[in-house]
Amino acid sequence: MSDIPVHDPHQPLRDDVRRLGQHLGTSLRTFGGDELYETVEHVRSLSKRARTGDTSAFDELTQTLGAMSSERARSVARAFATFLTLIIVPVMYWWI
């Protein structure tokens, strides 16, 4: 195995996206409470696992989202929409 570090040209973008996600998490806790933050993180975690083909995660995600009240689902959707809106800025910065 080589001791030569591998350079990831996308690392600055990844760092910026991670930092924005952390700020969004702080805002969710501040303005939506810990319960909203935990719900968003749970949905995010299940989504990532489901995307890799984990069918139990997909089933749990489906059940979790289906059991949410309309108000909670709207707040979770807004959190994800806000994240996607936020990451456009570093993507445009690093790719242009």
Side-chain angles (χ1 to χ4, degrees):
M1 181 143 86
S2 175
D3 291 333
I4 299 172
V6 176
H7 174 69
D8 179 1
H10 301 293
Q11 192 60 50
L13 171 60
R14 293 179 206 283
D15 293 343
D16 285 350
V17 168
R18 187 173 297 110
R19 192 172 306 111
L20 287 169
Q22 290 168 343
H23 289 302
L24 177 59
T26 299
S27 295
L28 285 175
R29 283 186 190 271
T30 300
F31 299 107
D34 288 337
E35 186 178 336
L36 175 60
Y37 173 80
E38 294 300 329
T39 300
V40 169
E41 283 300 300
H42 184 62
V43 168
R44 185 180 71 84
S45 174
L46 289 173
S47 298
K48 287 175 70 174
R49 288 178 33 217
R51 193 173 129 223
T52 66
D54 183 337
T55 56
S56 65
F58 181 81
D59 292 342
E60 186 179 347
L61 176 62
T62 301
Q63 183 178 19
T64 299
L65 293 173
M68 279 185 197
S69 68
S70 295
E71 184 178 329
R72 176 59 72 191
R74 196 170 18 258
S75 295
V76 170
R78 283 183 181 142
F80 280 94
T82 300
F83 176 72
L84 293 173
T85 300
L86 285 173
I87 67 168
I88 292 298
V89 175
V91 166
M92 291 184 70
Y93 176 81
W94 288 107
W95 284 0
I96 292 179

